[in-house]
Amino acid sequence: MSSSVAPPAQPAALYGGTSGRRVTVRDIAAAKERHEKWPMLTAYDALTARIFDEAGIPVLLVGDSAAMVVYGYDSTIPVTVDDLIPLTAAVVRGSKRAMVVADLPFGSYQTGVKEALSAATRFLKETGAHAIKLEGGRRILPQVEAMVAAGIPVMGHLGLTPQSVNVFGGYRVQGRGQDGDELMADAKALEAAGAFSLVLECVPADLAARVTASLSIPTIGIGGGNQTDAQVLVWQDMAGLTPHTAKFVKKFADMNALLGEAARSYADEVVSGAYPAPEHAYR
C-alpha cells in the first residue's frame, strides 16, 4: 500500500465545529456513536442566535419557554404557534451552523395527527426550522410517526413536560419509583416511532442514565444529571438573567447585575449631561 494515501478524515466535533453547513440529525446521531457530549441552548431572536452560533453551540431550541422569558406569562401554556413563528424565523436568520429546533406549543398537536402535521409544517415552511420538538410519550406516537413519515425530524420530550403542569400539580420531579418504568417505555416507543433525540427534564439522574444507555438516539438532559448525551438550558437561566431558577440551573454569568449596572451608568450620565459627549455628536 502506498504511503501517500491520506488517512480517513476525522469527523468534526459537534460542539465548536467549523463546517460550512448546518448541523443535521446525522451529525447528532454520529456524536452519540462517538460518545461525544454536546450543549444545546434556547434562543428567541437573531442577535443571541448569532452569538450562540458563533460560540459553537450546535443546536438552538426556540422553546415554548418564550411564553415566560419573552411574553411574560407565568407558564408555557398561553403561547401560540403564531407567537413562536416570528421568533423561530429570527433564530434561523441569525444563525449559520446550528440546527434550529422549534417547539410545538400547547394545543397545536395534542388533538390529532392532522393538527400536528399542520403546525409542524408551518414551522418548517414559514421559518426555515430544521426540526420540531413536542412533549409526551406513547399517547402522541401517531403524531410522531406521521411527522417522521412526512420528512419532519422530531425531538421528543419526557419527564417534567411543562405543558402538562396542571396535571402534575406543579413543577415536580418525574419518574420516581414505578413511574420510571413508564418513562422508559415511553422513551423506547418514541425511538421506535422515529424521534431522532429525546429531552429528559427533571428526572432522577439514575433513571436518565439508564434511559440514555438503553437508547440509540441521544438524550438531552435538563435536570437529569450528567450521564445524558447532551444538556440544554434556557439561555436567560444560564446567563443569570432570570432572578429565580430551578435547582438544576447553574448561572454561568450574572447578566442581571451587568445589565442593571449598564442601565444605571447610562441613566446617570444622561442626568449629569456627560452623555452624549462631543464625540457622540454629529457635525
Side-chain angles (χ1 to χ4, degrees), residues 235-252:
W235 86 256
Q236 290 91 339
D237 292 347
M238 176 275 299
L241 195 59
T242 311
H244 305 291
T245 56
K247 174 184 178 180
F248 58 77
V249 172
K250 177 178 178 179
K251 297 184 178 183
F252 291 84

Side-chain angles (χ1 to χ4, degrees), residues 134-261:
L134 75 172
E135 299 179 2
R138 284 162 286 179
R139 60 184 173 82
I140 50 93
L141 287 186
Q143 291 93 317
V144 174
E145 291 169 346
M147 284 186 279
V148 172
I152 302 172
V154 175
M155 176 182 288
H157 186 155
L158 294 175
L160 173 58
T161 46
Q163 293 175 14
S164 302
V165 64
N166 291 327
V167 174
F168 295 148
Y171 296 96
R172 303 171 183 271
V173 174
Q174 303 295 312
R176 287 177 170 147
Q178 292 184 345
D179 289 342
D181 296 333
E182 292 297 312
L183 189 145
M184 178 70 79
D186 281 336
K188 291 183 176 180
L190 286 168
E191 178 183 42
F196 75 92
S197 59
L198 177 62
V199 173
L200 297 173
E201 181 169 359
C202 286
V203 301
D206 62 339
L207 174 61
R210 286 191 286 116
V211 172
T212 300
S214 299
L215 300 182
S216 62
I217 60 174
T219 58
I220 304 159
I222 176 167
N226 67 357
Q227 296 303 303
T228 53
D229 298 299
Q231 297 288 331
V232 62
L233 284 175
V234 171
W235 86 256
Q236 290 91 339
D237 292 347
M238 176 275 299
L241 195 59
T242 311
H244 305 291
T245 56
K247 174 184 178 180
F248 58 77
V249 172
K250 177 178 178 179
K251 297 184 178 183
F252 291 84
D254 190 358
M255 290 295 295
N256 188 67
L258 184 62
L259 283 176
E261 179 182 352

